[in-house]
Amino acid sequence: MSAPVHQGVAPDAGAPARVPAWALLPLAAVAWSVGLGPWLLLRSRVGTFGTPYNPRNDVRDALLPFVVDRLSLLLTLTLAGGVLAGLTPLVRGAARPQRTASSALVVLGALVAASTAVLQTLAPEPDLGGSAAQAGTVRLAFVALTAAGTVVGVVLGLLVSLGGPALRVMAAAPASIVIAGWAGQLVLSARSDLDPAGVPAWVSPGLSVVAAVGVGVLLARLGLGSVGRVLAWAVTAFLLVATPAALTTARYLLEALPRTPLRVDAVTELVTDGLALLRLATAQNLTVVALWTPATLALLALAVGAVGAGVSARRRSSRG
Protein backbone atom coordinates (compact mmCIF):
# COMPACT_ATOMS: atom_id res chain seq x y z
CA MET A 1 0.00 0.00 0.00
CA SER A 2 1.48 3.32 -1.04
CA ALA A 3 1.93 6.11 1.45
CA PRO A 4 -0.72 8.83 1.34
CA VAL A 5 0.17 12.14 -0.24
CA HIS A 6 -0.47 14.95 2.22
CA GLN A 7 -2.21 17.99 0.80
CA GLY A 8 -0.03 21.09 0.50
CA VAL A 9 3.31 19.22 0.40
CA ALA A 10 5.14 19.32 -2.90
CA PRO A 11 5.83 15.84 -4.35
CA ASP A 12 9.50 16.78 -4.78
CA ALA A 13 9.92 18.22 -1.29
CA GLY A 14 12.86 15.92 -0.73
CA ALA A 15 14.49 16.58 -4.08
CA PRO A 16 18.19 17.35 -3.80
CA ALA A 17 19.41 20.86 -4.50
CA ARG A 18 21.08 21.50 -7.83
CA VAL A 19 23.94 23.43 -6.21
CA PRO A 20 25.30 23.31 -2.63
CA ALA A 21 24.19 25.95 -0.18
CA TRP A 22 27.66 27.49 0.22
CA ALA A 23 27.66 28.38 -3.49
CA LEU A 24 24.99 31.01 -2.84
CA LEU A 25 27.61 33.35 -1.36
CA PRO A 26 29.74 33.73 -4.53
CA LEU A 27 26.64 33.53 -6.72
CA ALA A 28 25.04 36.42 -4.82
CA ALA A 29 28.22 38.48 -5.13
CA VAL A 30 28.35 37.87 -8.88
CA ALA A 31 24.64 38.60 -9.27
CA TRP A 32 25.00 41.90 -7.40
CA SER A 33 27.91 42.80 -9.67
CA VAL A 34 25.73 42.12 -12.72
CA GLY A 35 23.54 44.97 -11.48
CA LEU A 36 26.42 47.35 -12.26
CA GLY A 37 26.00 46.62 -15.97
CA PRO A 38 24.48 49.98 -17.00
CA TRP A 39 27.25 51.93 -15.27
CA LEU A 40 30.02 49.71 -16.64
CA LEU A 41 28.72 50.42 -20.14
CA LEU A 42 28.24 54.11 -19.45
CA ARG A 43 31.63 54.78 -17.88
CA SER A 44 33.40 53.37 -20.94
CA ARG A 45 31.83 56.13 -23.04
CA VAL A 46 31.62 59.19 -20.83
CA GLY A 47 35.30 59.60 -19.86
CA THR A 48 36.04 62.04 -17.03
CA PHE A 49 33.56 63.77 -14.75
CA GLY A 50 34.06 66.70 -12.41
CA THR A 51 36.98 69.09 -12.43
CA PRO A 52 39.12 68.69 -15.57
CA TYR A 53 42.66 67.38 -15.08
CA ASN A 54 41.84 66.16 -11.58
CA PRO A 55 42.78 62.46 -11.50
CA ARG A 56 40.57 61.91 -8.46
CA ASN A 57 37.52 62.64 -10.62
CA ASP A 58 38.38 60.21 -13.41
CA VAL A 59 35.63 57.60 -13.02
CA ARG A 60 36.49 55.42 -15.99
CA ASP A 61 37.75 52.75 -13.58
CA ALA A 62 35.26 53.29 -10.75
CA LEU A 63 32.83 50.45 -10.09
CA LEU A 64 30.17 52.86 -8.80
CA PRO A 65 29.01 56.28 -10.00
CA PHE A 66 29.99 58.74 -7.28
CA VAL A 67 29.21 62.05 -8.98
CA VAL A 68 26.21 63.94 -7.67
CA ASP A 69 24.29 63.92 -10.94
CA ARG A 70 24.43 60.11 -11.04
CA LEU A 71 22.96 59.35 -7.61
CA SER A 72 19.67 58.21 -9.14
CA LEU A 73 21.61 55.76 -11.30
CA LEU A 74 23.47 54.56 -8.19
CA LEU A 75 20.13 53.80 -6.53
CA THR A 76 18.93 51.90 -9.60
CA LEU A 77 22.12 49.84 -9.74
CA THR A 78 22.14 48.89 -6.08
CA LEU A 79 18.42 48.05 -5.99
CA ALA A 80 18.66 45.88 -9.09
CA GLY A 81 21.87 44.24 -7.91
CA GLY A 82 20.23 43.44 -4.60
CA VAL A 83 17.18 41.92 -6.32
CA LEU A 84 19.36 39.79 -8.58
CA ALA A 85 21.38 38.60 -5.58
CA GLY A 86 18.21 37.80 -3.66
CA LEU A 87 16.96 35.63 -6.52
CA THR A 88 20.00 33.34 -6.46
CA PRO A 89 18.38 30.73 -4.13
CA LEU A 90 16.16 29.83 -7.09
CA VAL A 91 19.12 28.10 -8.73
CA ARG A 92 19.21 25.49 -5.97
CA GLY A 93 15.98 23.99 -7.21
CA ALA A 94 15.08 22.42 -3.84
CA ALA A 95 11.39 22.45 -3.02
CA ARG A 96 12.04 23.32 0.61
CA PRO A 97 15.33 25.25 0.81
CA GLN A 98 16.94 26.17 4.10
CA ARG A 99 15.62 29.69 4.28
CA THR A 100 17.73 31.00 7.17
CA ALA A 101 21.05 29.67 5.88
CA SER A 102 20.28 30.66 2.29
CA SER A 103 19.25 34.17 3.30
CA ALA A 104 22.38 34.67 5.40
CA LEU A 105 24.67 33.52 2.60
CA VAL A 106 22.93 35.73 0.04
CA VAL A 107 23.05 38.81 2.28
CA LEU A 108 26.73 38.19 3.04
CA GLY A 109 27.58 37.74 -0.63
CA ALA A 110 25.76 40.91 -1.67
CA LEU A 111 27.35 42.96 1.11
CA VAL A 112 30.82 41.65 0.23
CA ALA A 113 30.33 42.70 -3.40
CA ALA A 114 28.89 46.09 -2.42
CA SER A 115 31.69 46.75 0.09
CA THR A 116 34.32 45.84 -2.48
CA ALA A 117 32.77 48.23 -5.00
CA VAL A 118 32.58 51.05 -2.44
CA LEU A 119 36.21 50.59 -1.34
CA GLN A 120 37.41 50.44 -4.94
CA THR A 121 35.47 53.60 -5.82
CA LEU A 122 36.58 55.63 -2.81
CA ALA A 123 40.19 54.43 -2.77
CA PRO A 124 41.48 57.36 -4.91
CA GLU A 125 39.66 59.75 -2.52
CA PRO A 126 37.49 61.27 -5.25
CA ASP A 127 35.99 64.74 -4.97
CA LEU A 128 32.34 64.00 -4.16
CA GLY A 129 31.40 67.64 -3.73
CA GLY A 130 30.98 69.89 -0.69
CA SER A 131 33.56 71.69 1.35
CA ALA A 132 36.43 70.02 3.15
CA ALA A 133 34.43 70.03 6.39
CA GLN A 134 31.59 68.17 4.66
CA ALA A 135 33.72 65.61 2.82
CA GLY A 136 33.22 62.95 5.47
CA THR A 137 29.46 63.48 5.51
CA VAL A 138 29.26 63.27 1.72
CA ARG A 139 31.20 60.00 1.71
CA LEU A 140 29.00 58.63 4.46
CA ALA A 141 25.89 59.51 2.45
CA PHE A 142 27.36 57.74 -0.59
CA VAL A 143 28.04 54.60 1.42
CA ALA A 144 24.61 54.76 3.11
CA LEU A 145 22.81 55.03 -0.24
CA THR A 146 24.71 52.05 -1.61
CA ALA A 147 23.96 49.98 1.50
CA ALA A 148 20.29 50.98 1.62
CA GLY A 149 19.69 50.17 -2.04
CA THR A 150 21.46 46.82 -1.68
CA VAL A 151 19.58 45.78 1.46
CA VAL A 152 16.15 46.75 0.11
CA GLY A 153 16.85 44.94 -3.16
CA VAL A 154 18.11 41.80 -1.40
CA VAL A 155 15.03 41.69 0.82
CA LEU A 156 12.73 41.92 -2.21
CA GLY A 157 14.69 39.22 -4.04
CA LEU A 158 14.70 36.88 -1.04
CA LEU A 159 10.95 37.29 -0.57
CA VAL A 160 10.43 36.32 -4.20
CA SER A 161 12.77 33.32 -4.05
CA LEU A 162 12.12 32.03 -0.53
CA GLY A 163 8.82 33.57 0.60
CA GLY A 164 5.42 31.93 0.76
CA PRO A 165 3.05 32.10 -2.23
CA ALA A 166 1.39 35.38 -1.23
CA LEU A 167 4.62 37.08 -0.11
CA ARG A 168 6.34 35.98 -3.30
CA VAL A 169 3.74 37.66 -5.50
CA MET A 170 3.58 40.87 -3.46
CA ALA A 171 7.37 41.24 -3.44
CA ALA A 172 7.51 40.51 -7.17
CA ALA A 173 5.57 43.72 -7.90
CA PRO A 174 8.23 46.23 -6.74
CA ALA A 175 11.04 43.87 -7.79
CA SER A 176 9.72 43.75 -11.36
CA ILE A 177 9.49 47.56 -11.50
CA VAL A 178 13.10 47.82 -10.31
CA ILE A 179 14.38 45.31 -12.87
CA ALA A 180 12.41 46.98 -15.68
CA GLY A 181 13.98 50.34 -14.79
CA TRP A 182 17.41 48.74 -14.64
CA ALA A 183 16.92 47.15 -18.07
CA GLY A 184 15.90 50.54 -19.46
CA GLN A 185 19.12 52.06 -18.09
CA LEU A 186 21.06 49.19 -19.66
CA VAL A 187 19.55 49.95 -23.07
CA LEU A 188 20.27 53.67 -22.66
CA SER A 189 23.87 53.05 -21.57
CA ALA A 190 24.45 50.83 -24.60
CA ARG A 191 23.68 53.77 -26.91
CA SER A 192 26.83 55.37 -28.24
CA ASP A 193 25.28 58.85 -28.19
CA LEU A 194 23.84 58.51 -24.64
CA ASP A 195 20.76 60.43 -25.81
CA PRO A 196 17.46 59.23 -24.29
CA ALA A 197 15.72 60.50 -27.42
CA GLY A 198 17.75 57.99 -29.42
CA VAL A 199 16.25 55.03 -27.59
CA PRO A 200 13.21 53.54 -29.41
CA ALA A 201 9.96 54.81 -27.95
CA TRP A 202 8.65 51.31 -27.33
CA VAL A 203 11.51 50.23 -25.03
CA SER A 204 10.26 51.78 -21.78
CA PRO A 205 6.57 50.81 -22.15
CA GLY A 206 7.58 47.41 -23.51
CA LEU A 207 9.68 46.65 -20.43
CA SER A 208 6.83 47.85 -18.19
CA VAL A 209 4.37 45.56 -19.97
CA VAL A 210 6.72 42.60 -19.57
CA ALA A 211 6.98 43.36 -15.85
CA ALA A 212 3.19 43.62 -15.49
CA VAL A 213 2.60 40.39 -17.41
CA GLY A 214 5.18 38.59 -15.27
CA VAL A 215 3.40 39.71 -12.10
CA GLY A 216 0.09 38.64 -13.66
CA VAL A 217 1.45 35.14 -14.26
CA LEU A 218 2.41 34.90 -10.60
CA LEU A 219 -1.05 36.10 -9.61
CA ALA A 220 -2.58 33.38 -11.78
CA ARG A 221 -0.45 30.76 -10.06
CA LEU A 222 -1.43 32.16 -6.66
CA GLY A 223 -5.15 31.94 -7.40
CA LEU A 224 -8.09 33.29 -5.43
CA GLY A 225 -8.76 30.39 -3.12
CA SER A 226 -8.90 32.34 0.16
CA VAL A 227 -9.47 35.79 1.61
CA GLY A 228 -5.74 36.15 2.25
CA ARG A 229 -4.95 35.53 -1.40
CA VAL A 230 -7.57 38.04 -2.51
CA LEU A 231 -5.90 40.60 -0.25
CA ALA A 232 -2.54 39.65 -1.78
CA TRP A 233 -3.97 40.49 -5.21
CA ALA A 234 -5.07 43.92 -3.98
CA VAL A 235 -1.73 44.65 -2.30
CA THR A 236 0.17 43.55 -5.41
CA ALA A 237 -1.86 45.90 -7.62
CA PHE A 238 -1.26 48.77 -5.19
CA LEU A 239 2.49 48.09 -5.11
CA LEU A 240 2.62 48.19 -8.91
CA VAL A 241 1.25 51.73 -8.61
CA ALA A 242 3.08 52.89 -5.49
CA THR A 243 6.57 51.67 -6.42
CA PRO A 244 7.01 54.09 -9.36
CA ALA A 245 5.81 56.89 -7.08
CA ALA A 246 8.37 55.90 -4.43
CA LEU A 247 11.17 55.78 -7.02
CA THR A 248 10.14 59.19 -8.35
CA THR A 249 10.28 60.61 -4.83
CA ALA A 250 13.69 59.03 -4.22
CA ARG A 251 15.03 60.58 -7.43
CA TYR A 252 13.70 63.99 -6.37
CA LEU A 253 15.39 63.73 -2.97
CA LEU A 254 18.68 62.57 -4.48
CA GLU A 255 18.68 65.41 -7.02
CA ALA A 256 17.86 68.02 -4.37
CA LEU A 257 20.12 66.66 -1.62
CA PRO A 258 23.45 67.98 -3.01
CA ARG A 259 21.95 71.49 -3.15
CA THR A 260 20.55 71.29 0.38
CA PRO A 261 22.60 72.90 3.19
CA LEU A 262 23.49 70.56 6.03
CA ARG A 263 21.07 72.20 8.46
CA VAL A 264 18.27 70.53 10.37
CA ASP A 265 15.61 72.92 9.05
CA ALA A 266 16.75 72.51 5.43
CA VAL A 267 16.84 68.71 5.63
CA THR A 268 13.45 68.65 7.38
CA GLU A 269 11.94 70.78 4.64
CA LEU A 270 13.40 68.48 2.00
CA VAL A 271 11.91 65.41 3.69
CA THR A 272 8.52 67.15 4.03
CA ASP A 273 8.56 68.02 0.33
CA GLY A 274 9.48 64.45 -0.50
CA LEU A 275 6.55 63.03 1.48
CA ALA A 276 4.19 65.48 -0.21
CA LEU A 277 5.53 64.42 -3.60
CA LEU A 278 5.07 60.75 -2.68
CA ARG A 279 1.41 61.31 -1.78
CA LEU A 280 0.79 63.32 -4.95
CA ALA A 281 2.55 60.83 -7.23
CA THR A 282 0.72 57.87 -5.66
CA ALA A 283 -2.66 59.60 -6.03
CA GLN A 284 -1.98 60.42 -9.67
CA ASN A 285 -0.75 56.91 -10.40
CA LEU A 286 -3.95 55.49 -8.91
CA THR A 287 -6.38 57.80 -10.72
CA VAL A 288 -4.83 58.34 -14.15
CA VAL A 289 -5.62 55.39 -16.42
CA ALA A 290 -3.97 55.97 -19.78
CA LEU A 291 -1.54 54.17 -22.03
CA TRP A 292 1.44 52.76 -20.07
CA THR A 293 0.60 54.49 -16.76
CA PRO A 294 1.14 52.57 -13.49
CA ALA A 295 -2.63 52.20 -13.05
CA THR A 296 -2.98 50.66 -16.51
CA LEU A 297 -0.10 48.28 -15.86
CA ALA A 298 -1.69 47.23 -12.56
CA LEU A 299 -4.96 46.54 -14.39
CA LEU A 300 -3.02 44.54 -17.00
CA ALA A 301 -1.42 42.40 -14.28
CA LEU A 302 -4.83 41.79 -12.69
CA ALA A 303 -6.34 40.89 -16.07
CA VAL A 304 -3.56 38.42 -16.87
CA GLY A 305 -3.87 36.94 -13.40
CA ALA A 306 -7.66 36.61 -13.65
CA VAL A 307 -7.50 34.93 -17.07
CA GLY A 308 -4.77 32.57 -15.93
CA ALA A 309 -6.60 31.71 -12.70
CA GLY A 310 -9.81 31.09 -14.68
CA VAL A 311 -8.04 28.76 -17.13
CA SER A 312 -6.44 26.84 -14.26
CA ALA A 313 -9.79 26.50 -12.51
CA ARG A 314 -11.41 25.12 -15.67
CA ARG A 315 -8.64 22.59 -16.14
CA ARG A 316 -9.01 21.39 -12.57
CA SER A 317 -12.78 21.08 -12.92
CA SER A 318 -12.37 19.18 -16.19
CA ARG A 319 -9.96 16.74 -14.61
CA GLY A 320 -12.36 16.32 -11.71
Side-chain angles (χ1 to χ4, degrees), residues 207-305:
L207 292 172
S208 299
V209 167
V210 170
V213 171
V215 174
V217 171
L218 293 179
L219 287 173
R221 296 183 62 183
L222 178 65
L224 292 164
S226 65
V227 176
R229 298 196 173 194
V230 172
L231 290 176
W233 279 58
V235 172
T236 300
F238 175 76
L239 289 175
L240 284 174
V241 173
T243 301
L247 292 175
T248 299
T249 303
R251 294 189 187 99
Y252 163 77
L253 293 175
L254 292 175
E255 291 173 0
L257 187 60
R259 302 187 299 270
T260 302
L262 293 179
R263 299 195 311 267
V264 175
D265 56 343
V267 175
T268 302
E269 182 180 359
L270 179 62
V271 172
T272 302
D273 292 343
L275 293 175
L277 177 61
L278 177 62
R279 290 192 296 267
L280 177 61
T282 304
Q284 289 181 341
N285 289 351
L286 283 169
T287 56
V288 178
V289 180
L291 197 60
W292 314 130
T293 62
T296 303
L297 295 174
L299 292 176
L300 174 62
L302 292 176
V304 171

Side-chain angles (χ1 to χ4, degrees), residues 1-315:
M1 182 176 179
S2 60
V5 178
H6 297 284
Q7 185 177 5
V9 178
D12 59 345
R18 298 192 187 106
V19 297
W22 61 263
L24 291 179
L25 194 155
L27 284 175
V30 171
W32 187 91
S33 301
V34 170
L36 303 180
W39 170 246
L40 299 182
L41 284 175
L42 182 61
R43 74 174 192 180
S44 65
R45 305 178 187 276
V46 296
T48 303
F49 287 103
T51 307
Y53 313 112
N54 184 349
R56 295 184 305 167
N57 286 349
D58 193 339
V59 297
R60 285 174 293 183
D61 295 327
L63 290 176
L64 293 172
F66 55 76
V67 287
V68 294
D69 59 341
R70 301 287 179 180
L71 292 181
S72 295
L73 176 60
L74 176 63
L75 180 62
T76 299
L77 300 179
T78 53
L79 282 172
V83 170
L84 293 175
L87 294 177
T88 51
L90 294 176
V91 304
R92 297 201 65 201
R96 290 184 178 275
Q98 298 175 341
R99 288 181 173 87
T100 302
S102 298
S103 299
L105 289 169
V106 167
V107 170
L108 182 59
L111 290 180
V112 166
S115 301
T116 302
V118 168
L119 291 175
Q120 188 269 352
T121 302
L122 296 183
E125 297 185 358
D127 183 5
L128 301 179
S131 63
Q134 298 173 347
T137 303
V138 173
R139 284 174 172 76
L140 179 61
F142 171 80
V143 175
L145 177 60
T146 302
T150 298
V151 170
V152 172
V154 167
V155 169
L156 290 176
L158 287 175
L159 288 176
V160 174
S161 59
L162 298 178
L167 275 178
R168 178 179 297 119
V169 176
M170 289 186 289
S176 64
I177 298 297
V178 167
I179 295 299
W182 173 84
Q185 287 289 338
L186 189 65
V187 173
L188 177 60
S189 299
R191 304 288 298 183
S192 59
D193 52 5
L194 298 178
D195 184 7
V199 178
W202 56 265
V203 170
S204 180
L207 292 172
S208 299
V209 167
V210 170
V213 171
V215 174
V217 171
L218 293 179
L219 287 173
R221 296 183 62 183
L222 178 65
L224 292 164
S226 65
V227 176
R229 298 196 173 194
V230 172
L231 290 176
W233 279 58
V235 172
T236 300
F238 175 76
L239 289 175
L240 284 174
V241 173
T243 301
L247 292 175
T248 299
T249 303
R251 294 189 187 99
Y252 163 77
L253 293 175
L254 292 175
E255 291 173 0
L257 187 60
R259 302 187 299 270
T260 302
L262 293 179
R263 299 195 311 267
V264 175
D265 56 343
V267 175
T268 302
E269 182 180 359
L270 179 62
V271 172
T272 302
D273 292 343
L275 293 175
L277 177 61
L278 177 62
R279 290 192 296 267
L280 177 61
T282 304
Q284 289 181 341
N285 289 351
L286 283 169
T287 56
V288 178
V289 180
L291 197 60
W292 314 130
T293 62
T296 303
L297 295 174
L299 292 176
L300 174 62
L302 292 176
V304 171
V307 171
V311 170
S312 299
R314 277 193 80 171
R315 286 181 177 176

